[in-house]
Amino acid sequence: QVQLVESGGGLVQPGGSLRLSCIASGSIFTINRMGWYRQAPGEQRELVAAMGSDGVTTYADSVKGRFTISRDNAKNTVYLQMNSLKPDDTAVYYCNLWQLSRGTYWGQGTQVTVSS
């Protein structure tokens, strides 16, 4: 089994920054991809950013230049540094782990609210 535990969400003013963390535990295998999705009220869940175990990254167009994903493979941890936050970034952010031939796992989510 795999568990994902997120932290770092909260309330921030427009233009501010937050850093999300996600620690994966359990059966973590070499070939995988860790990332972040978000879901705003009434909207579908969407990919924000992801990074493969090979270091290849993917970003949503809406966050390019503002968000940075990184990971510490030794700690099975993925981070999302979010800068220049906007009210449209308000959502529940979910950590995601995909493992080759083993499926996809989700964290419980952490709320990010951008408001003055």
Side-chain angles (χ1 to χ4, degrees):
Q1 294 295 328
V2 173
Q3 287 189 324
L4 303 175
V5 178
E6 302 111 331
S7 62
L11 172 64
V12 63
Q13 292 186 342
S17 298
L18 283 175
R19 189 193 195 206
L20 305 183
S21 301
C22 173
I23 301 173
S25 61
S27 299
I28 310 300
F29 295 90
T30 302
I31 301 175
N32 61 58
R33 188 183 80 164
M34 296 187 76
W36 295 90
Y37 287 68
R38 67 186 181 188
Q39 188 168 18
E43 303 290 333
Q44 290 189 334
R45 191 172 297 188
E46 62 175 1
L47 172 69
V48 177
M51 177 179 278
S53 48
D54 56 1
V56 175
T57 58
T58 301
Y59 290 94
D61 288 343
S62 60
V63 306
K64 285 180 180 177
R66 300 188 298 123
F67 291 10
T68 302
I69 189 169
S70 60
R71 56 187 287 174
D72 184 335
N73 290 331
K75 297 180 180 179
N76 290 325
T77 301
V78 64
Y79 306 96
L80 185 67
Q81 178 66 44
M82 306 185 292
N83 299 328
S84 302
L85 282 160
K86 306 174 181 179
D88 285 350
D89 296 318
T90 296
V92 178
Y93 284 69
Y94 295 91
C95 181
N96 170 272
L97 169 66
W98 169 87
Q99 301 200 98
L100 181 65
S101 301
R102 288 171 175 80
T104 299
Y105 305 88
W106 295 93
Q108 292 190 330
T110 184
Q111 177 70 45
V112 171
T113 302
V114 184
S115 175
S116 56

